[in-house]
Amino acid sequence: MKAHESHGAASVTANDREPLAPDLARSRPRLAIVVPCFNEELVISETVGRLLEVLRDLREQGQIASESFLFFIDDGSIDQTWNLLRDLNKSNPEVKGLKLARNFGHQNAVLAGLLTVRHRADCVISMDADLQHDPQAIYSFLDKYRQGADIVYGVRRDAGNVPLSKKIGSSMFYWLMTSMGAKVVKDHPDYRLISAKVLDTLADYKEVNVFLRGIFANMGFRSEVVYFDVHDRAAGTTHYSWRKMIGLALDGVTSFSVVPLRIIAIGGVLITLGALAVAVFIVFSALRGDVVPGWASTVLPIYVLGGIQIMTIGLVAEYIGKIYSEVKQRPRFISDQELS
């Protein structure tokens, strides 16, 4: 086990090994399985054991190269996750990892893993640490990759025993994304295979507000779909709260769609036309003496236009906040220690 300190950000060092021949990279690739973790001490040993079984079976079958490995990203855990990974690294050379300096969020943790292993693998699979993503789907991912796919999306066949509120929230999320014009694959979590070519392209994306599902869906590389069953969480509880789900949806919409801004513009036109119609109605009502003097001129602008202005200013502020983050160009993640 080797641990080293790093105070930089997203830059990585290229591996000195020569890349495999194209045909060998497809038929027997170096595979890296990237797994972000946040406070997963209750499940991490089981996850490592299950993934090692799959990795070693694939190696014995000659489907992947002997250099293939697991790569865990500790996203600022405050429990024993990193200590357990260090112990597992000592007894299992295939288990490697990266500890981030603090919690940067799920999307940035996945990105950190992908960019760190970029020059060490011919293809990479990212998945969650709770084993809800069926590890057996990895075999199908590799089949699609060998057939020429550069991106293979894992798509949920069903939501398993997820609470009804989360199922409704997930459906609303994908409905919102598609209705706002953001291209995503329905029922696709961050369980996917990507090729080295896609990894090189991903390194060119410098945005701070990362939404990987939208980035990969908009690349245009040849893609395939693998359906998998969602399993119950092996241990512990989910760390993906409603607040994080809403934040992910906002990042997706504001990063890949200007439809909300266009809705504001169209709404402004409709409100103007409506205000003109109401103004005509008020004039005729005033001429007939049907209104209290001063009522219409006070209530109409305060209760209608005031509420709409606050709503639209809030939406525009969301976009301005994203611009603010992008302009500062702060690192998307900061590495602290690495297990190799």
Side-chain angles (χ1 to χ4, degrees), residues 17-26 28-30 65 67 122:
R17 292 176 296 180
E18 292 294 326
L20 296 177
D23 55 343
L24 191 57
R26 283 285 175 181
R28 193 166 176 267
R30 294 171 297 181
E67 304 97 322
D122 301 303

Side-chain angles (χ1 to χ4, degrees), residues 21 35 39 76-77 85 99 141 157 171 177 210 214 249 288 294 306 335:
V35 186
N39 293 342
S77 297
L85 286 171
K99 179 177 176 59
F141 281 141
R157 186 177 286 111
S171 298
M177 295 299 297
V210 180
R288 294 198 306 267
S335 302

Side-chain angles (χ1 to χ4, degrees), residues 7-319:
H7 302 286
S11 60
V12 295
T13 303
N15 194 286
D16 294 332
R17 292 176 296 180
E18 292 294 326
L20 296 177
D23 55 343
L24 191 57
R26 283 285 175 181
S27 62
R28 193 166 176 267
R30 294 171 297 181
L31 171 66
I33 300 179
V34 169
V35 186
C37 308
F38 177 66
N39 293 342
E40 298 288 3
E41 64 179 1
L42 296 178
V43 73
I44 196 66
S45 296
E46 175 69 16
T47 300
V48 170
R50 292 272 296 277
L51 292 180
L52 280 176
E53 287 181 8
V54 172
L55 195 74
R56 290 166 179 171
D57 184 54
L58 287 168
R59 186 184 297 134
E60 290 175 3
Q61 294 182 22
Q63 296 191 37
I64 59 174
S66 59
E67 304 97 322
S68 301
F69 59 95
L70 309 179
F71 196 81
F72 293 83
I73 306 93
D74 184 352
D75 187 23
S77 297
I78 57 175
D79 62 3
Q80 295 299 310
T81 299
W82 183 248
N83 291 332
L84 290 171
L85 286 171
R86 284 194 300 186
D87 293 340
L88 290 164
N89 169 259
K90 293 176 182 178
S91 55
N92 302 280
E94 305 102 320
V95 178
K96 307 179 189 302
L98 176 71
K99 179 177 176 59
L100 303 185
R102 62 171 176 83
N103 180 258
F104 285 87
H106 180 268
Q107 294 292 283
N108 284 318
V110 176
L111 181 69
L114 295 178
L115 294 183
T116 303
V117 304
R118 175 184 167 198
H119 296 286
R120 310 178 195 176
D122 301 303
C123 61
V124 179
I125 293 175
S126 63
M127 63 184 300
D128 290 346
D130 54 16
L131 293 176
Q132 287 188 301
H133 298 165
D134 185 6
Q136 295 302 311
I138 293 174
Y139 294 87
S140 299
F141 281 141
L142 289 168
D143 288 340
K144 298 290 186 182
Y145 172 74
R146 278 189 287 270
Q147 294 167 15
D150 286 302
I151 304 176
V152 184
Y153 299 106
V155 175
R156 291 187 292 258
R157 186 177 286 111
D158 62 75
N161 293 325
V162 175
L164 180 61
S165 60
K166 285 294 182 73
K167 293 180 181 179
I168 294 174
S170 178
S171 298
M172 291 177 62
F173 169 80
Y174 287 106
W175 172 83
L176 177 65
M177 295 299 297
T178 54
S179 62
M180 290 293 109
K183 185 178 180 182
V184 292
V185 178
K186 189 176 185 299
D187 293 329
H188 163 62
D190 286 293
Y191 189 21
R192 70 180 70 85
L193 177 147
I194 57 176
S195 68
K197 184 198 314 186
V198 177
L199 270 176
D200 289 339
T201 303
L202 177 65
D204 293 331
Y205 283 74
K206 306 301 182 182
E207 57 219 66
V208 174
N209 300 287
V210 180
F211 181 62
L212 293 173
R213 301 179 201 184
I215 289 175
F216 291 122
N218 280 272
M219 280 186 177
F221 290 108
R222 177 180 171 182
S223 61
E224 297 287 348
V225 168
V226 167
Y227 293 93
F228 70 95
D229 293 321
V230 178
H231 294 173
D232 292 339
R233 185 180 175 88
T237 58
T238 181
H239 304 296
Y240 222 73
S241 63
W242 274 96
R243 180 180 61 83
K244 291 182 179 180
M245 289 180 63
I246 293 172
L248 182 64
L250 285 174
D251 283 342
V253 171
T254 54
S255 297
F256 287 92
S257 175
V258 295
V259 171
L261 296 178
R262 290 175 181 168
I263 290 175
I264 289 176
I266 295 172
V269 173
L270 295 176
I271 291 169
T272 301
L273 294 175
L276 289 174
V278 173
V280 171
F281 169 76
I282 291 172
V283 169
F284 280 104
S285 298
L287 291 176
R288 294 198 306 267
D290 295 336
V291 296
V292 177
W295 173 83
S297 61
T298 302
V299 173
L300 185 64
I302 291 178
Y303 287 95
V304 179
L305 296 180
I308 294 173
Q309 286 174 348
I310 293 173
M311 180 188 68
T312 54
I313 288 172
L315 182 56
V316 173
E318 184 69 26
Y319 278 90

